Amino acid sequence: MSTQQRRLLFLLFLVLFFEGCATRYPLGMKEEQWQALSPQQQAEYTTKQYQIDEERRKRQEEYRQQKEREAAEAIRLEKERILQLYRNARYGDIIQVNISGGSIAFIGERKGYEPLSFDLVRGERKRIPFYHHDKQITYSTDIWVAYNNNAFYFDVGDDQKYEHSTDKIVILDNGRWDEGETFHPKTLDKSTDSQAQGIKIFIRY
């Protein structure tokens, strides 16, 4: 088969493809405009549309890859920032948090969970996994927490402006965190990620 024959077959395929799309014709043409064209013109217009679609696809792929690179760089910079905070931390800049008791939501239903402990440095916001074990099944849910402005924040969501949100738990440093203290915060309603109820939060430097 010659190159010319292969090209004609390819163009015919494109024509048949666009004809199979009942409501779409190349270059935004209406059906009557399309039907008025000769087969050769239809093939040319179909080729133009294919080229336009291919260029659009390439631009979209380049945009997607650029966003992925930007997101990866943002994550890298945030990790480096947190690492520097830990390296330069002074007394009171790092808190140990223990959470136990009560229940939080797993797949929308409040259940008990495995007690856990973690550290936070002042200025850090991170996602903490909670686990519920039910026979041979383990459920997990991630809750965002933060430590900033002399306060511990629980269930702040994936929002950099979490301090302005009202649907969260906030525990202010009362001057006794150096000795450690247990708090019994409010119940969070079902619009929150955790729906935390009856939990105990222990905090100390």
Side-chain angles (χ1 to χ4, degrees), residues 6-164:
R6 284 196 294 269
R7 181 173 180 276
L8 289 175
L9 283 175
F10 176 70
L11 293 175
L12 179 60
F13 166 78
L14 293 178
V15 170
L16 293 174
F17 171 78
F18 279 102
E19 285 185 343
C21 301
T23 59
R24 186 184 178 213
Y25 294 95
L27 306 180
M29 300 180 71
K30 295 181 180 179
E31 182 178 2
E32 56 270 21
Q33 295 174 312
W34 175 252
Q35 296 299 340
L37 297 176
S38 67
Q40 181 65 30
Q41 289 175 316
Q42 289 181 347
E44 292 174 357
Y45 277 63
T46 299
T47 300
K48 290 179 181 179
Q49 183 65 63
Y50 175 81
Q51 293 170 343
I52 291 172
D53 291 343
E54 185 65 14
E55 284 298 320
R56 183 185 295 113
R57 186 194 64 78
K58 289 180 180 179
R59 289 196 300 270
Q60 291 173 341
E61 178 63 17
E62 290 172 358
Y63 178 79
R64 184 189 65 79
Q65 292 179 0
Q66 177 63 25
K67 287 300 179 181
E68 286 183 351
R69 288 192 294 269
E70 291 175 358
E73 178 65 8
I75 291 173
R76 187 191 68 78
L77 291 175
E78 177 63 9
K79 287 182 178 179
E80 180 63 26
R81 184 184 75 86
I82 296 301
L83 183 60
Q84 288 298 325
L85 288 177
Y86 275 99
R87 286 173 176 168
N88 301 326
R90 297 176 296 179
Y91 182 75
D93 285 341
I94 298 176
I95 58 174
Q96 176 190 338
V97 181
N98 301 337
I99 302 179
S100 62
S103 60
I104 64 170
F106 295 87
I107 318 178
E109 182 180 350
R110 287 187 174 112
K111 299 176 183 292
Y113 58 92
E114 187 177 279
L116 69 162
S117 178
F118 54 89
D119 293 337
L120 280 173
V121 66
R122 192 186 307 274
E124 181 180 13
R125 180 180 64 94
K126 68 181 177 182
R127 189 167 49 193
I128 301 297
F130 284 73
Y131 298 98
H132 169 78
H133 304 289
D134 185 3
K135 296 181 180 179
Q136 296 182 353
I137 301 176
T138 296
Y139 298 90
S140 67
T141 187
D142 293 336
I143 305 300
W144 286 88
V145 299
Y147 174 36
N148 206 4
N149 298 327
N150 296 316
F152 168 71
Y153 298 85
F154 178 85
D155 200 350
V156 297
D158 188 12
D159 185 358
Q160 296 286 353
K161 299 180 180 179
Y162 60 86
E163 294 162 317
H164 304 294

